[in-house]
Amino acid sequence: MHEMSIAMAVVGQVEEAAPDGAAGIVRRVELQVGELAGVVPDSLAFCFELACAGTVLEGAELVIAPVPARAHCGACSGEWAPGMPPDLCCPACGKATEVALRSGRELRILTVTWEDAPEAAPCRAPISEEA
């Protein structure tokens, strides 16, 4: 289950990003998760809760912001939702050689809300999976 390695990476990155000398507690983490990222949201939420135990993130709310998949055809400029599994053949012109995914693979920490911080701290770094 790679959701556990993702959850552990999120916890590690949030802990590393803690303001110097801050002893605050994380209340909320918002993740951007693309439709094609291969992540099961319920599994990630379960793993996140386990990974947070004993850290400054213990009890933090996980909010997942889904990102729909979109593909673009360079030949005809068509754009469509490729679905799952992704259909990378342009429905408008039938070509597959100039197709690019525009969205749907995202896996980013968007914001972290600390107890002692007045606002959410933005974060745009992709999550690195080491496991």
Side-chain angles (χ1 to χ4, degrees):
M1 166 182 337
H2 79 120
E3 282 83 355
M4 180 55 89
S5 62
I6 292 169
M8 291 171 64
V10 168
V11 169
Q13 289 181 19
V14 170
E15 286 182 321
E16 286 178 21
D20 288 337
I25 295 171
V26 175
R27 290 292 173 209
R28 182 176 190 260
V29 175
E30 183 178 3
L31 299 180
Q32 186 179 50
V33 179
E35 178 181 9
L36 302 176
V39 175
V40 178
D42 289 341
S43 295
L44 180 57
F46 175 77
C47 292
F48 180 78
E49 186 176 336
L50 294 176
C52 289
T55 72
V56 296
L57 288 94
E58 188 163 2
E61 173 189 16
L62 176 65
V63 177
I64 297 175
V67 179
R70 299 296 299 168
H72 174 80
C73 178
C76 74
S77 297
E79 193 166 307
W80 69 99
M84 194 59 171
D87 179 8
L88 298 179
C89 185
C90 179
C93 71
K95 294 190 178 184
T97 57
E98 296 183 47
V99 171
L101 284 174
R102 289 262 169 109
S103 66
R105 295 179 291 179
E106 295 81 0
L107 187 53
R108 290 186 181 94
I109 299 171
L110 289 179
T111 61
V112 176
T113 304
W114 296 84
E115 181 174 85
D116 55 357
E119 295 181 17
C123 181
R124 299 283 186 242
I127 299 166
S128 61
E129 244 188 287
E130 296 178 3

